[in-house]
Amino acid sequence: MKARKFELLTAGVIYFLILLGVALWVRDIPNQPDAIGFTLRHLIEMPSGGDYSHFAEAAADIAKNRWISSANDWIFNLWPPGFILLEAFIVTVLGPEAHVILVLQILAAVLFAIVLVLFYELMIKFMARKIAFVLPLLIFAFPLARVFLLQPTGVILGETFAVGFFLISVFLVIFSVMRNKIRYAVYAGLCLALSAYFRSQFEIILLAMTGWGVLFIIAITLTFLRKSIDPKFVAPIVKTIAIVLLTSHAVTAPWRAYHWIYQDNPSWVQTSDLVFANSVLTSEQLNNKGGEFVVAGGGNLVCRIVSTTCGDTTNAKSLFIKTFISHPIEWYSLKFGVIGAYWFSSIDFKKNSPSMGTSRDVTGNGLFLISLIALTGLLLTRKVRSHGSWILLVWVNASLFSAYMLIFTVVHFEVRYFFFPKIVGLVMFLIVAGLYFRPMKKIDALNDVTAK
């Protein structure tokens, strides 16, 4: 046991050093913020503005006043507090001139070193140690992952931490069942909740996981699905799903209560009204107020499909629902007409709109797409279905797919909205591929994913 812990610790240190080196010295796109020179004040004053400026402004407010002031309270209506509180904590501890980006990059390297160690620990049961060690690093062979998760342009948006906590949650869910230790399910639920605190779309994923989780618990308990699972895994699977969801909702309850008390609405964020309002504006109206990216990403479909709705912001929500139900084919035709440009866009995009990718971008994005297709196919194979974690992988992937179907149906496209689906699709593919190519003699060695 001590030897195994030492092995994992050593792997974690090596992963951390590799990731930190990428974070500090690799720049896959030019003109990124200065990790050494930038403070919170520099982020606030960046001329291009953006989400990161609002995050920094709120963090500075909290560091100064111990909580957000009424002038900036609108920021907490649009974004959850996790990343803002992290930045505020850094400034509170290290002072207003703290090199915030540098600290965030170090924390990101630590977080993803943990992700890679858990990945290594999962794979080591089924393949040679050297292959199991290198396999997780394939994630960062892609410039998109390096920029989005480690480099300054990515870490100042906060989604780095949401992605990291979510991936840790996925691995802990698997360990909870394979080792039949419920504490892993509690930790997984905590990490899932933390991902939602750092980025709002992960709350939608949590809700999707809740819906699918309840369905799977019912199906496993009452239907033939129970017969497709090794009997020794039935109870751990049901308990794990239930505990993950209960823990996540318990941890997210305080933020819902905060919004209920101060905004009379328990919603995680208050962005839906803005989405509905944009949907009934003309393209000219949006362009005139700087919303070109909303038009390009299919954010005003209600007005474009039914011209008589244009400008009726009072009834925007009901018109949105009515138009989608009445014109689903036209709705999705407009969406799918532009989705390719966003998927294959260069990572060096401007103002949330896609830009022509280089041959390297096209190749990388093509591989992301292939990995998603291959993931779906591999999940259906008998060899993967024979593994005790199969139901869990189906649960997570069904939740991700349905959550992003909803997000991409309702919200306008932005290039960075596709980054997480690409990365998580690759990670899931590598996990499932590892299970699929494991030696046949190890198919039944499922009571523990790590060699003892």
Side-chain angles (χ1 to χ4, degrees):
M1 183 62 69
K2 289 183 179 180
R4 173 48 52 86
K5 289 182 179 179
F6 179 76
E7 176 186 352
L8 295 177
L9 178 61
T10 302
V13 170
I14 296 173
Y15 283 139
F16 169 73
L17 294 175
I18 293 172
L19 296 178
L20 186 62
V22 171
L24 299 182
W25 292 296
V26 177
R27 294 293 178 267
D28 290 286
I29 60 175
N31 303 319
Q32 297 195 49
D34 180 7
I36 303 297
F38 268 50
T39 64
L40 212 58
R41 176 175 54 83
H42 290 100
L43 289 175
I44 295 171
E45 296 174 353
M46 282 183 68
S48 57
D51 293 0
Y52 45 82
S53 293
H54 298 314
F55 298 156
E57 184 178 359
D61 190 0
I62 292 173
K64 179 180 178 181
N65 302 308
R66 299 299 178 232
W67 192 244
I68 200 163
S69 63
S70 57
N72 289 320
D73 199 41
W74 65 272
I75 296 176
F76 272 178
N77 289 337
L78 298 182
W79 294 283
F83 184 63
I84 294 169
L85 293 177
L86 176 60
E87 286 189 321
F89 177 76
I90 293 171
V91 172
T92 300
V93 173
L94 300 179
E97 296 303 311
H99 304 305
V100 175
I101 296 179
L102 176 62
V103 176
L104 289 173
Q105 288 185 287
I106 294 171
L107 294 176
V110 171
L111 183 65
F112 277 93
I114 295 172
V115 171
L116 298 188
V117 166
L118 293 173
F119 200 163
Y120 171 67
E121 192 175 6
L122 178 64
M123 290 292 103
I124 201 172
K125 180 73 174 181
F126 310 119
M127 59 187 67
R129 277 175 165 73
K130 290 182 180 179
I131 298 176
F133 180 83
V134 172
L135 187 66
L137 288 170
L138 290 179
I139 301 167
F140 294 96
F142 293 85
L144 184 150
R146 297 195 294 266
V147 172
F148 185 50
L149 301 176
L150 297 174
Q151 294 174 20
T153 295
V155 296
I156 60 176
L157 290 170
E159 201 162 348
T160 292
F161 300 92
V163 174
F165 282 121
F166 180 82
L167 293 177
I168 289 173
S169 177
V170 171
F171 288 113
L172 291 177
V173 163
I174 296 173
F175 290 154
S176 174
V177 169
M178 305 314 298
R179 295 174 180 174
N180 196 19
K181 293 182 179 179
I182 297 305
R183 70 174 183 271
Y184 287 106
V186 175
Y187 302 151
L190 174 61
C191 288
L192 182 57
L194 286 174
S195 70
Y197 272 105
F198 274 87
R199 208 66 183 176
S200 59
Q201 65 263 39
F202 288 83
E203 187 259 352
I204 299 174
I205 295 172
L206 170 57
L207 296 179
M209 291 182 71
T210 302
W212 281 103
V214 171
L215 288 176
F216 274 116
I217 289 174
I218 294 173
I220 292 170
T221 305
L222 302 178
T223 73
F224 66 90
L225 185 61
R226 185 186 188 96
K227 297 180 180 179
S228 67
I229 303 172
D230 189 319
K232 65 176 174 288
F233 292 121
V234 172
I237 288 172
V238 171
K239 286 190 294 184
T240 292
I241 293 175
I243 291 172
V244 167
L245 295 177
L246 289 172
T247 303
S248 297
H249 284 289
V251 175
T252 54
W255 187 243
R256 296 190 190 282
Y258 174 83
H259 270 165
W260 205 338
I261 293 170
Y262 293 100
Q263 278 84 32
D264 297 320
N265 190 327
S267 298
W268 196 246
V269 290
Q270 314 294 320
T271 55
S272 58
D273 290 342
L274 182 61
V275 171
F276 295 139
N278 285 339
S279 73
V280 295
L281 296 181
T282 65
S283 297
E284 183 179 6
Q285 288 173 318
L286 285 168
N287 290 336
N288 287 339
K289 63 177 187 176
E292 298 91 343
F293 65 95
V294 177
V295 177
N300 62 332
L301 295 189
V302 176
C303 176
R304 291 162 63 180
I305 293 172
V306 183
S307 60
T308 57
T309 66
C310 295
D312 189 0
T313 55
T314 302
N315 301 303
K317 182 177 181 180
S318 60
L319 290 172
F320 186 99
I321 297 171
K322 181 179 178 180
T323 302
F324 173 71
I325 293 175
S326 302
H327 303 83
I329 295 177
E330 189 173 359
W331 187 288
Y332 281 114
S333 295
L334 290 170
K335 285 283 188 177
F336 283 116
V338 297
I339 194 171
Y342 285 85
W343 184 274
F344 286 95
S345 172
S346 167
I347 55 175
D348 189 17
F349 62 94
K350 306 298 181 185
K351 294 184 178 179
N352 304 316
S353 297
S355 57
M356 182 66 67
T358 64
S359 58
R360 184 183 69 168
D361 292 317
V362 172
T363 300
N365 289 318
L367 290 174
F368 283 126
L369 183 60
I370 291 171
S371 68
L372 279 174
I373 297 170
L375 165 64
T376 304
L378 289 175
L379 276 173
L380 300 177
T381 62
R382 184 187 66 82
K383 195 171 182 182
V384 173
R385 286 187 288 110
S386 70
H387 194 275
S389 65
W390 175 69
I391 288 293
L392 301 173
L393 292 170
V394 173
W395 171 46
V396 172
N397 283 284
S399 301
L400 288 167
F401 180 81
S402 57
Y404 269 90
M405 277 294 294
L406 174 62
I407 293 170
F408 287 153
T409 296
V410 173
V411 181
H412 66 275
F413 295 149
E414 290 187 23
V415 174
R416 63 187 179 89
Y417 291 173
F418 290 82
F419 289 174
F420 173 66
K422 291 176 184 178
I423 291 171
V424 77
L426 175 63
V427 173
M428 291 295 175
F429 166 72
L430 292 175
I431 292 173
V432 174
L435 298 179
Y436 180 80
F437 290 106
R438 70 192 189 275
M440 290 297 294
K441 65 181 180 179
K442 295 186 177 182
I443 288 182
D444 296 323
L446 303 176
N447 59 333
D448 190 354
V449 291
T450 59
K452 296 184 178 179

